[in-house]
Amino acid sequence: MAGTQSSTQEKPLIHIGWIVAAEEGQILERNTREALEILSRRWRSQLPEFEWRLEVVVERLPVEQFAADPLDLLGVGVEQKIERQWDFAFVVTGRKLRMRRGSAEFGAPSSALETAVVTFSERITPEIRAAYLAVAGQNLLGNLLGLEAGPASGVMKREADDDSTTLPTFSDAELAVVRNRLREVGDLRLEEQRPHWNRGWFYLRTFFADSRGIAMDVWGYRPWSQPFRLRKLTAAAFVSTLLLFLGAEAWELGVGSSPVQLAFGALIANLAGTIFHYRGQNLSELTHRSILSEQLARSRIVLLFCLTTGIISLWILLLVVSFAVISSLPREVIERWLEEPLDFAARFRLASFAATLGSLAGAFGGNLEAEGDFKAEFFIDEET
């Protein structure tokens, strides 16, 4: 993804915005500004080849009395990031985050949206809050850039009772990764290069502008594990698949289908499942602004790749389970019933047929998932 860069600047500009909840008072705003001074000194020291611009804005945030939904706060961050042309956005709140994925003690980064929510517990007093927010900011920026937490890393794996205010240092290997990602971020955005674009060509150029970063973000979401996390979708697919084995017509159609027909059916089922979930769960609605933006296009590409990989993973899982079920049944009985041999190829054709129909059922079952829970699987990396 590309960031703003003046033609007169030699250093790529990295522009990061911090949004502070107006309802939480001036103390938090002051703590945040102090934290940015700490981060600015550290990042200028470790990454002097970039021009760092850290900005604080105060906004009224959509928070409830006792907890804030990280999805709502991420939405605010994306809106402000696009409007103000930031490269990354951080939303700071002292409210406890509503549990979405894992622990919500530290914050909620979203690589897909290049935005993060920063939070802190009541144990973090105003005296140490600035240092703590600096640690949180570096940790979450590292998450957004694809770094893994570790004992010798600039990104810490935080425990629930860890209130560390010691800012870690990026290792040489991590700095190499960060430099590569930030060079891509620091380039001119596509919409800044020329005013008018064909939408399809714009999305294609967005992908090739940061294909490595997009791949890293998709890998970080582990989309192949979605069938085990989206239980209602998977349950609907599995029940529908197993019910197919109760009808003679399904066996005959499956065994009698050609490989070309089955391959085409699997393609259509996976494509339909992807489109149905992408539209039905409103994954493309990242902002109210109807504009061509490289940042928005990149986020949508990451989400689409994650969703497609998850749908294909579900199909493969259904294929394996269906083949195992078919192979466990008495072969002689089925062969007398079908009046043809049930060899490996026939079992595979039947399993593929069942997996395809099960995937289509899962596409409808996916909308049984609450929209917030579904989006959390794709928008939030991990609440650490």
Side-chain angles (χ1 to χ4, degrees), residues 259-295:
V260 174
Q261 290 173 324
L262 292 171
F264 182 74
L267 176 64
I268 295 300
N270 286 303
L271 183 62
T274 299
I275 295 173
F276 192 83
H277 287 106
Y278 189 73
R279 295 295 186 185
Q281 293 287 354
N282 300 315
L283 291 183
S284 63
E285 296 181 6
L286 304 179
T287 176
H288 299 299
R289 298 166 63 88
S290 180
I291 58 174
L292 269 183
S293 162
E294 185 177 345
Q295 292 177 307

Side-chain angles (χ1 to χ4, degrees), residues 3 7 15 24 39 41 43 58 79 89 110 117 120 142 145 191 201 216 256 268 300 346 360 372:
S7 59
H15 194 177
E24 297 189 37
L39 288 174
R41 290 194 297 269
W43 291 343
V58 179
E79 288 280 358
S110 174
V117 178
F120 50 89
L145 296 176
E191 63 268 25
W201 181 243
M216 289 177 64
I268 295 300
R300 288 173 178 141
L360 287 174

Side-chain angles (χ1 to χ4, degrees), residues 201-219:
W201 181 243
F202 185 87
Y203 275 77
L204 193 63
R205 284 289 303 273
T206 297
F207 172 75
F208 285 110
D210 189 18
S211 57
R212 181 178 179 182
I214 289 172
M216 289 177 64
D217 288 346
V218 172
W219 179 267

Side-chain angles (χ1 to χ4, degrees), residues 3 20 33 74 77 80 96 132 159 204 222 235-237 245 248 258 286 297 303 308 334 350 369:
V20 180
R33 294 187 184 280
L74 288 172
Q80 292 291 323
K96 182 178 180 180
Y132 180 86
E159 303 298 335
L204 193 63
R222 298 178 296 151
F245 296 124
S258 69
L286 304 179
L303 294 171
T308 302
I334 298 174
L350 178 56
E369 301 277 357

